[in-house]
Amino acid sequence: MASPQVPNERCRSKFIRPDDIGLVRLGHKPVLKRTFGFFSTLGLTCGVMLTWEGVLLLFNINFTNGGYAGSVYGYLLVWFGTAASFATMGELASMAPTAGGQYHWIAILAPEKWRNFLSYLIGWLTMIGWQAISASGCFLSASLVQGLMVLNDPTYSPKPWRNTLLYIATVFFAVLVNIVFSLPKVELLVLVLHVCGFLAILIPLVYYAPHGSASDVFTLFLNEGHWPTEGLSFMVGIVGPVFNLLGADGAVHMSEEIGNPAKNVPRAMLFGIILNGSLGFGMLLAVLFCLGNLDAVLGTTTGFPFMEIFLQAVRSIRAALAMASFIAVLNICATISFVATASRMTWSFARDHGTPGWKWLGRVTPGLSNSCTQPTKPKVDLPLWSIGITAIVAILLGLVGLGSTVAFNVVVSLSINGLYTSYLLGNSVLLYRRLKGSIKPYSPSADQALDPINAQHLAWGPWKIPEPFGTIINIIGCIYMFVILIFSFWPIAPNPTPATMNFSSLMVGAVTIFSVVYYFTRGHKFYTGPRQEISLQDYQSTAIPA
């Protein structure tokens, strides 16, 4: 006899996939299809970080303030600090695997008096930070294409309007791939290109280029920013490698589309940092040994020193173009991951009523099958509204760049400061709870009983660093991020002009003021922390199929 029809919501409660248990315990409905495995998640993490490519793209930042040796030791410092920070964030992601990430963790772990306000503020900083990363990735892609044109034809003169058109084309490409293609398969392809591209660039560079002195690479510091001391110059210069190792939390914001997120998200973040960090360090050493004519490298008309390094190494414009084109292609591919992550973060915050227009931005396209009688039929579940607003914001920022590159840089400078503020506060509240001893040990039985994950029921996830190492790493990560935040607001040289000024403080202040004013005038009426969309009582007595 056929089973009687039951309401769809009740149907959902009887068929909880094991991967959705953590999300259900957090009070959210599983509405996105989990299509990402470990390797596709790793591909997304590597695609977002783009570390060895970033070493080439932003070479002049840490070389100007630090020189040869400063670049090496600054990179190692940032790599170690990033690994410590994200080892702790892996514990948070395992404890509460949700696309909201930092703002959701703070809502669970922060003191009750400040919980909602801090969660709301960090939600805005994280969301705007990822929107800024999307814009900066598209801007770099457009600039790379024009740089290739200059490399091919030194008489070509880059125009802002051409850069803007290339920028908009990159935005549309990233959105199209996000909507039309299978994102996990795209990220797997990006992972392969990322690793193979490293070898394709490194081997000819090291083989053909003239090699410099190891003594220079490991002992020669430079202070081209003319700071009072070399130590201060070194600290200002490490902002370059910070940006190169930024964004491993992209996996966190995709966690509701990842299988077994409590384990795969922390693994993808940490392994991504190890893999990307290793490739980035290898490329950094290769570039430092193969600099060639330093004046020509730093004064190149392409705008990218690595293009001149390639040209001096292989002594062929065509070969140099081929090598540089690989960097451009990988950077364009990275924009796919940027848009995906930014849109999921925006969607999650809107789902919890944290943004204006949350009724629309928090929507997911309806599945092709909502019937209980066809539970295996594939769904189309994408946050199209949040993907659309991410594209619109990116295009508007691109139009700002048409009028003033300085104004555009003011906006994108928020990426480091906004995200690092969210990292620091998330790690700090976990350290606070850790030292209080208020987090219970992980228990698989809690998953089966569907015990809630909230401020009153704190328990570790399956990813947990053994003590006392967990606390030590947590403290190291917090100290590192605090120091980085301080120096991320500094300009690259004393007495800056408007064109060289670091306007990060302006942007962070503007976003903070807007979010605070909006929270107390309107936002607090809708945002009361992460919403409880479902009642756990519906699930307590039901069996969970394997």
Side-chain angles (χ1 to χ4, degrees):
M1 181 181 295
S3 300
Q5 294 294 318
V6 292
N8 186 59
E9 192 61 37
R10 185 59 183 169
C11 170
R12 286 178 179 267
S13 71
K14 287 188 176 182
F15 296 99
I16 310 174
R17 296 183 179 89
D19 291 342
D20 291 329
I21 291 175
L23 192 60
V24 170
R25 293 174 63 199
L26 285 164
H28 284 310
K29 297 177 182 178
V31 295
L32 298 176
K33 189 177 180 182
R34 296 189 183 274
T35 55
F36 279 81
F38 170 74
F39 284 103
S40 53
T41 306
L42 178 63
L44 181 135
T45 303
C46 291
V48 167
M49 296 176 71
L50 217 65
T51 303
W52 72 260
E53 299 90 338
V55 166
L56 297 172
L57 290 168
L58 305 176
F59 171 77
N60 59 328
I61 294 180
N62 54 315
F63 190 83
T64 299
N65 287 295
Y68 293 88
S71 298
V72 172
Y73 302 122
Y75 184 94
L76 291 175
L77 173 63
V78 171
W79 188 13
F80 175 76
T82 302
S85 304
F86 276 90
T88 300
M89 287 185 66
E91 294 180 309
L92 288 164
S94 183
M95 182 187 300
T98 168
Q102 295 91 307
Y103 82 85
H104 200 131
W105 301 335
I106 290 167
I108 295 174
L109 297 168
E112 184 176 2
K113 182 179 180 181
W114 300 99
R115 190 172 297 154
N116 286 350
F117 174 70
L118 288 177
S119 171
Y120 187 79
L121 177 61
I122 293 303
W124 268 99
L125 286 174
T126 307
M127 181 180 67
I128 297 299
W130 273 105
Q131 295 289 345
I133 286 182
S134 298
S136 63
C138 295
F139 183 80
L140 268 176
S141 298
S143 301
L144 277 167
V145 173
Q146 292 222 85
L148 290 172
M149 294 177 181
V150 175
L151 180 61
N152 181 63
D153 179 8
T155 63
Y156 172 78
S157 178
K159 302 295 183 182
W161 65 268
R162 291 173 182 165
N163 202 72
T164 300
L165 291 178
L166 290 168
Y167 176 101
I168 294 174
T170 305
V171 173
F172 278 114
F173 170 76
V175 170
L176 179 67
V177 174
N178 269 270
I179 294 175
V180 176
F181 294 91
S182 171
L183 198 56
K185 293 180 180 178
V186 171
E187 298 299 349
L188 282 172
L189 176 61
V190 170
L191 179 60
V192 173
L193 292 175
H194 180 68
V195 176
C196 293
F198 170 78
L199 298 175
I201 299 298
L202 184 74
I203 293 172
L205 177 63
V206 173
Y207 184 80
Y208 288 108
H211 294 170
S213 166
S215 175
D216 286 346
V217 171
F218 294 106
T219 63
L220 181 58
F221 290 85
L222 297 177
N223 182 6
E224 296 301 315
H226 305 294
W227 292 98
T229 66
E230 286 190 354
L232 183 57
S233 174
F234 171 82
M235 293 305 298
V236 172
I238 63 175
V239 174
V242 167
F243 195 85
N244 296 338
L245 288 160
L246 184 68
D249 62 310
V252 170
H253 304 299
M254 300 295 293
S255 61
E256 293 180 35
E257 297 167 67
I258 297 172
N260 194 8
K263 291 183 179 179
N264 281 337
V265 171
R267 288 171 180 169
M269 287 196 299
L270 264 295
F271 192 72
I273 290 172
I274 293 171
L275 175 61
N276 263 19
S278 301
L279 298 181
F281 188 60
M283 185 59 70
L284 176 63
L285 291 179
V287 169
L288 291 175
F289 272 103
C290 302
L291 272 182
N293 186 330
L294 184 57
D295 291 336
V297 167
L298 297 180
T300 176
T301 55
T302 64
F304 295 96
F306 76 88
M307 293 187 183
E308 180 64 27
I309 295 173
F310 291 172
L311 183 59
Q312 291 186 30
V314 297
R315 302 178 185 88
S316 166
I317 292 180
R318 290 184 178 181
L321 277 171
M323 295 170 67
S325 296
F326 219 119
I327 307 298
V329 168
L330 285 166
N331 197 85
I332 292 171
C333 290
T335 62
I336 300 169
S337 304
F338 296 157
V339 169
T341 304
S343 63
R344 270 43 168 206
M345 175 59 212
T346 302
W347 164 75
S348 178
F349 198 38
R351 174 180 60 182
D352 290 322
H353 299 179
T355 67
W358 52 264
K359 290 182 180 179
W360 298 96
L361 295 180
R363 288 185 177 184
V364 172
T365 55
L368 294 177
S369 174
N370 288 321
S371 169
C372 296
T373 61
Q374 296 176 302
T376 61
K377 191 171 182 179
K379 293 181 179 180
V380 177
D381 34 18
L382 287 173
L384 291 180
W385 285 95
S386 63
I387 293 175
I389 199 65
T390 298
I392 291 172
V393 169
I395 290 173
L396 291 176
L397 293 178
L399 295 177
V400 170
L402 179 62
S404 169
T405 303
V406 175
F408 181 83
N409 290 336
V410 170
V411 177
V412 300
S413 64
L414 183 63
S415 54
I416 290 179
N417 312 104
L419 292 186
Y420 258 75
T421 300
S422 71
Y423 299 163
L424 175 59
L425 193 54
N427 282 24
S428 297
V429 293
L430 179 61
L431 180 62
Y432 163 74
R433 290 288 189 175
R434 189 175 229 136
L435 295 177
K436 284 187 65 177
S438 57
I439 306 178
K440 299 177 182 178
Y442 170 66
S443 173
S445 61
D447 290 343
Q448 298 301 319
L450 291 175
D451 291 339
I453 302 175
N454 53 37
Q456 290 72 42
H457 300 82
L458 292 176
W460 294 106
W463 174 277
K464 170 71 169 65
I465 303 173
E467 297 296 350
F469 301 108
T471 300
I472 294 172
I473 291 173
N474 200 165
I475 293 172
I476 291 173
C478 288
I479 294 173
Y480 161 77
M481 288 184 287
F482 180 75
V483 173
I484 292 299
L485 265 179
I486 292 176
F487 284 97
S488 67
F489 290 102
W490 288 49
I492 60 175
N495 306 314
T497 64
T500 60
M501 180 61 185
N502 184 342
F503 290 96
S504 301
S505 56
L506 172 65
M507 283 307 302
V508 171
V511 172
T512 301
I513 291 172
F514 172 81
S515 58
V516 169
V517 171
Y518 186 81
Y519 178 79
F520 285 108
T521 57
R522 184 173 174 82
H524 72 281
K525 300 176 183 178
F526 304 105
Y527 185 81
T528 56
R531 296 176 61 241
Q532 296 294 310
E533 298 178 303
I534 53 179
S535 172
L536 287 173
Q537 295 176 350
D538 295 336
Y539 298 85
Q540 294 291 350
S541 60
T542 59
I544 302 173

